[in-house]
Amino acid sequence: MLWVAVSAVGLGFLIALEIAARRYGERGPITDQAREVIFAPKSGVVLYVSMALMMVVLTWRQRFIALGAAIGIDLVFWLVRWAVDAKMMMGNGALWVTLACAVIAVTRRTGRDRVLLLKGVGLALLLVAGRKTGYTWLLITSKTRPTVLDQYVATADHALGDPSWVVGRIVAATGSVGAHVLDWVYVQLAVGAVVIALYQLRNVAAERRFPGHHLVRTFLVIGLLGPGIYMIYPVVGPIFAYGADGGPWAVANLWPDTPPPVGTPLPMPFDAITPRNCMPSLHTAWATAIFIHSLKGPWALRFLGGFWLIATLGATLGFGYHYGADIIAGVVFTVTIETALRALDRGWDRSGLQLVVYGTAVFTALLVSYRYLSVEMAEHPWVFGPLLVLAMTSVVYGYVRTAKRWDRKPASVHLPGPRSESQPEPVESSATGMSPTGPAEASVKTSAG
């Protein structure tokens, strides 16, 4: 019943986004995904990455067959598109194989095998649907939020030393090599996530079950909740509000050479094209999630997670996509979500509930302070700058302490033991509280990590 309810809510959400997109003359997530069965996809990498996640439930032989079938189908599509001079893009084969596995699960599998394969297909399609809904959300933010709050965030950013302007000049000084590396990491964020996720899900085929908590869950929840904050706090970013990319809508062409002067911030009108997708920085949020989940892997994965986080921070600030205030909000946002998901998986306790409430309060306080205390923050940077960093650090520190406690004391799952035949109980057993047939339950410790 829970899965049916979640599926119904998800389908209703997709239909609502489809209707909203149609009102603005654009294709919604359902139509956009259905077209990619035949037409060239927007991103073939995402479709192959999704198929890779689905294949964690398959045996090695089945994986090779699925990959070969996907490549073969893509070759056929490539030849047809080349012949008719259509847009060239891979990925249709991966989508076909994923859908074929769904059909096989329903028609050829039974019981636990069917459920496992359907979960794998659902994981893959959720990742694809998440990207499509993200595009629609960005469209909605640009159409429904005619004014943006960049002046407030830029003013508050003075308390942090205007990091976007500082890092922007550093990236410009590194030349094309540094810019290309950061751009690749920023665009291919899903690649780093899938490497970590595949490591976490490497035993699914052998154990015939998914782990209780993994990176993909955090990724999807971040992508689901983040756009809602965009609607509450619309911000376009320094390269648009204060840079050349903003055109006539920009306050001035100041980024990255000249930080904006301190003044009285006001909501400012902006075009109906640029997404209001800055607060919080979801790229920072996702990169933080990658880093957190990489910490339990071998040293190579830990290095990958650290590199992806640092490079993503450099790209988000250095390309002028985000302010420093967005970064702090994104970290708090992720750590709070990660805590909630881990607590939900292992069973809510007092420490998990307290940290989720505290993280939510800190995140709310950050948004309120950016909006209503930005001038005071700019005028007293040596007070508010450390306070902002301290607020973020306190949430991270709370998560580290709570996670260590959870890892030392895994959640207990009580499974019923074998039932014994009813026998007359000796008088001595009644007195001591012991049963002659042994304990009625066995406590099995399982790790929730």
Side-chain angles (χ1 to χ4, degrees):
M1 292 300 297
L2 176 63
W3 281 103
V4 171
V6 171
S7 300
V9 172
L11 180 60
F13 178 67
L14 288 175
I15 293 174
L17 288 180
E18 182 76 25
I19 295 172
R22 292 287 180 176
R23 288 185 59 188
Y24 298 111
E26 300 287 342
R27 293 191 299 268
I30 299 176
T31 306
D32 211 19
Q33 188 57 62
R35 281 175 53 86
E36 292 187 356
V37 175
I38 301 297
F39 296 96
K42 287 185 178 179
S43 175
V45 174
V46 171
L47 292 175
Y48 269 95
V49 161
S50 302
M51 185 184 72
L53 287 177
M54 183 269 297
M55 290 195 300
V56 299
V57 306
L58 305 179
T59 63
W60 279 106
R61 178 175 176 273
Q62 292 168 340
R63 291 170 186 171
F64 285 122
I65 294 174
L67 181 60
I71 295 174
I73 293 170
D74 266 333
L75 287 175
V76 173
F77 272 96
W78 186 85
L79 290 174
V80 172
R81 287 172 182 149
W82 175 76
V84 299
D85 195 25
K87 179 183 177 182
M88 306 298 291
M89 178 59 72
M90 63 176 185
N92 300 89
L95 182 58
W96 277 46
V97 168
T98 302
L99 296 176
C101 286
V103 174
I104 291 172
V106 174
T107 60
R108 303 292 298 275
R109 300 287 180 88
T110 58
R112 192 174 180 181
D113 289 339
R114 172 185 289 176
V115 173
L116 186 67
L117 184 53
L118 285 176
K119 283 185 177 180
V121 172
L123 190 66
L125 294 180
L126 274 176
L127 187 63
V128 175
R131 191 176 181 91
K132 298 299 181 185
T133 56
Y135 291 144
T136 305
W137 263 119
L138 296 182
L139 170 69
I140 293 173
T141 63
S142 64
K143 301 295 185 182
T144 61
R145 292 295 179 266
T147 59
V148 297
L149 304 177
D150 282 75
Q151 293 186 27
Y152 294 90
V153 183
T155 303
D157 233 32
H158 286 299
L160 299 170
D162 302 300
S164 181
W165 273 258
V166 174
V167 180
R169 291 193 294 271
I170 294 174
V171 171
T174 61
S176 60
V177 176
H180 279 96
V181 171
L182 293 180
D183 181 66
W184 186 86
V185 171
Y186 187 85
V187 173
Q188 301 299 338
L189 182 71
V191 174
V194 167
V195 171
I196 305 298
L198 290 178
Y199 174 79
Q200 292 180 324
L201 303 177
R202 66 193 183 280
N203 296 323
V204 169
E207 297 177 355
R208 311 305 295 164
R209 65 179 181 85
F210 279 86
H213 178 54
H214 49 84
L215 177 60
V216 181
R217 295 179 68 199
T218 307
F219 247 64
L220 292 172
V221 175
I222 289 173
L224 178 65
L225 299 180
I229 311 300
Y230 293 164
M231 302 290 287
I232 298 172
Y233 207 112
V235 182
V236 293
I239 197 172
F240 298 103
Y242 294 94
D245 288 17
W249 300 94
V251 176
N253 190 1
L254 302 176
W255 189 89
D257 299 317
T258 307
V262 178
T264 302
L266 296 170
M268 53 184 286
F270 216 79
D271 63 33
I273 300 174
T274 307
R276 281 63 164 150
N277 62 337
C278 276
M279 183 62 73
S281 169
L282 291 197
H283 262 79
T284 298
W286 283 316
T288 302
I290 290 175
F291 176 72
I292 291 173
H293 283 262
S294 70
L295 294 178
K296 290 191 176 182
W299 70 268
L301 282 186
R302 295 196 297 270
F303 175 81
L304 174 68
F307 167 77
W308 224 272
L309 176 59
I310 294 172
T312 301
L313 292 177
T316 55
L317 293 172
F319 293 149
Y321 298 146
H322 290 281
Y323 304 91
D326 307 336
I327 304 300
I328 289 178
V331 172
V332 174
F333 185 68
T334 297
V335 174
T336 304
I337 289 175
E338 179 68 18
T339 303
L341 291 177
R342 285 200 62 179
L344 181 65
D345 174 55
R346 74 183 310 279
W348 287 95
D349 58 11
R350 184 176 181 180
S351 60
L353 182 61
Q354 286 178 337
L355 184 55
V356 170
V357 172
Y358 178 68
T360 303
V362 170
F363 181 76
T364 304
L366 289 174
L367 297 187
V368 172
S369 64
Y370 296 158
R371 178 65 174 82
Y372 296 105
L373 296 175
S374 58
V375 175
E376 290 77 5
M377 295 169 71
E379 292 176 347
H380 303 90
W382 293 105
V383 175
F384 286 96
L387 281 178
L388 291 175
V389 176
L390 181 62
M392 177 188 71
T393 306
S394 66
V395 177
V396 174
Y397 177 71
Y399 173 78
V400 172
R401 288 191 59 187
T402 304
K404 285 184 177 179
R405 187 182 303 116
W406 285 344
D407 291 338
R408 287 196 303 266
K409 186 181 179 181
S412 298
V413 179
H414 297 280
L415 301 178
R419 299 179 61 183
S420 58
E421 298 293 333
S422 56
Q423 298 178 5
E425 186 175 10
V427 176
E428 294 81 5
S429 299
S430 300
T432 60
M434 298 293 292
S435 171
T437 57
E441 290 186 345
S443 178
V444 182
K445 298 290 186 180
T446 59
S447 173

